[in-house]
Amino acid sequence: MTRFGYTLMTEQAGPRQLVRDAAAAEAAGFDFEVSSDHYFPWLEAQGHAPYAWSVLGAVSQVTERVELMTYVTCPTIRYHPAVVAQKAATLGLLSEGRFTLGLGAGENLNEHVVGRGWPAVRARQEMLVEAVQIIRDLFGGGLVDFTGEHFRVESARLWDLPETPVPLALAASGKRSIERYAPLADHLVAVEPDADLVAGWAKHRADAGLPASRSIGQLPICWGPDRDRAVETAHEQFRWFAGGWKVNSDLPTTAGFAGASQFVRPDDVAEQIPCGPEVEPIVDAVRDYWEAGFTDIALIQVGADSQGDFLAFAESELLPALREAAPS
């Protein structure tokens, strides 16, 4: 059965609102909730970037049913992987087994703040592989020493661990990342409805003798009663999205994103993001994901002020329409 998620967009709302929205999203019927993990918003107009792990800790206590996930955390520069393992294990306990650790190779926007530079993509992928090994070792509960090309760990141990290790989901976007990450992860994260990517991931897992995994996608929408206003909001808040992840991962500041997106028109955004009050365009956009093989699809509702109305719409119209249309 296809599962539908709600995104806690830390770039567009403060921590108290995010916690309230998380509780409301569970009540509206979403199956899972994912949180971005940023130090910066993409654009100044978004205006927020609270610490995702504190937010998720609070969310774990105001929800009971929904699964929780980082979408995604970079465990290599801003955070050391040993510290990410500790955070994830703690959240696994707080949520009583509802947490999945989503990991990725990172974005310059968030990682530059600690002054360690921004490695080339191949180095970032190598760092992520080492980080996953460290996290897995620490989830095993023993004393861990590790010396790699990028990281060292000395006599580390996690003292509070859930009975079942926290699952790992890794973000992949191309052939090289699929080859590296599919044997290491429990699940796939991807942000485009690419059937070849999902199929390639599944093949590499099968070749390694691993079970089938979940494929977890995400897409933005901007629901609202006035389509023109929704397009305006999507353009103001989300025009950075038009650059694509290969560009977006390298830009260092909100000023960089503003410059890169200065010629993106509202109509350009509306071509990529379903906007307005109608259910059908949203269902059509989500359909691309399940037809590509995704099992889990998280929605981003663009615009902090519209979350309450959107969640009411999701409960009464959108989620029933998605579940009726989706494969079971």
Side-chain angles (χ1 to χ4, degrees):
M1 180 177 293
T2 308
R3 304 189 329 143
F4 300 103
Y6 173 78
T7 300
L8 300 168
M9 201 70 180
T10 61
E11 299 78 42
Q12 68 177 11
R16 293 178 65 85
Q17 178 179 337
L18 291 165
V19 174
R20 291 193 299 269
D21 291 343
E26 180 178 70
F30 281 96
D31 301 308
F32 66 101
E33 299 182 8
V34 305
S35 173
S36 54
D37 183 358
H38 273 218
Y39 200 92
F40 266 64
W42 286 284
L43 296 168
E44 286 195 22
Q46 293 177 307
H48 294 275
Y51 187 53
W53 291 88
S54 297
V55 172
L56 284 168
V59 168
S60 74
Q61 301 305 290
V62 301
T63 58
E64 298 178 353
R65 174 187 55 80
V66 287
E67 295 185 20
L68 305 175
M69 179 179 174
T70 49
Y71 202 101
V72 291
T73 287
C74 175
T76 62
I77 299 177
R78 183 168 42 118
Y79 305 137
H80 190 282
V83 177
V84 172
Q86 184 188 36
K87 295 190 289 190
T90 299
L91 196 49
L93 289 167
L94 285 171
S95 65
E96 298 183 292
R98 292 183 286 130
F99 179 63
T100 295
L101 177 59
L103 299 172
E107 299 165 72
N108 196 6
L109 178 69
N110 306 301
E111 307 309 314
H112 80 271
V113 297
V114 295
R116 291 181 54 198
W118 184 235
V121 62
R122 186 182 294 272
R124 300 200 302 268
Q125 291 180 350
E126 292 171 354
M127 294 170 75
L128 183 56
V129 169
E130 285 191 15
V132 169
Q133 181 177 342
I134 292 166
I135 291 167
R136 290 281 197 199
D137 289 349
L138 286 165
F139 282 174
L143 197 65
V144 174
D145 291 283
F146 179 90
T147 301
E149 183 177 347
H150 302 283
F151 297 106
R152 289 178 58 88
V153 177
E154 296 183 0
S155 303
R157 177 184 171 188
L158 298 182
W159 292 86
D160 291 278
L161 284 166
E163 290 186 9
T164 301
V166 171
L168 302 185
L170 266 64
S173 59
K175 182 178 179 181
R176 183 186 302 163
S177 59
I178 290 172
E179 292 173 352
R180 287 184 178 224
Y181 303 154
L184 304 178
D186 298 299
H187 306 298
L188 166 68
V189 169
V191 293
E192 295 180 357
D194 186 337
D196 291 338
L197 187 149
V198 175
W201 179 274
K203 182 180 185 304
H204 278 281
R205 289 187 63 80
D207 290 346
L210 296 171
S213 74
R214 291 161 54 191
S215 299
I216 306 162
Q218 184 186 58
L219 77 159
I221 64 173
C222 192
W223 175 86
D226 183 320
R227 185 178 185 278
D228 290 342
R229 177 57 186 152
V231 171
E232 180 182 339
T233 299
H235 180 259
E236 177 192 60
Q237 299 276 321
F238 237 75
R239 64 185 182 275
W240 62 270
F241 189 70
W245 288 107
K246 290 184 179 180
V247 173
N248 294 342
S249 64
D250 284 326
L251 294 175
T253 63
T254 53
F257 277 92
S261 61
Q262 63 181 312
F263 299 116
V264 177
R265 303 167 302 171
D267 287 348
D268 298 327
V269 174
E271 288 179 2
Q272 292 186 291
I273 298 175
C275 296
E278 302 299 326
V279 173
E280 289 79 6
I282 302 173
V283 173
D284 288 342
V286 178
R287 179 179 286 110
D288 290 341
Y289 280 81
W290 71 61
E291 289 184 347
F294 284 82
T295 59
D296 299 63
I297 305 149
L299 303 179
I300 301 169
Q301 166 63 6
V302 178
D305 295 341
S306 62
Q307 299 300 310
D309 290 340
F310 166 72
L311 290 170
F313 160 73
E315 181 177 13
S316 63
E317 297 185 53
L318 179 57
L319 286 172
L322 287 170
R323 290 185 174 125
E324 181 177 358
S328 58

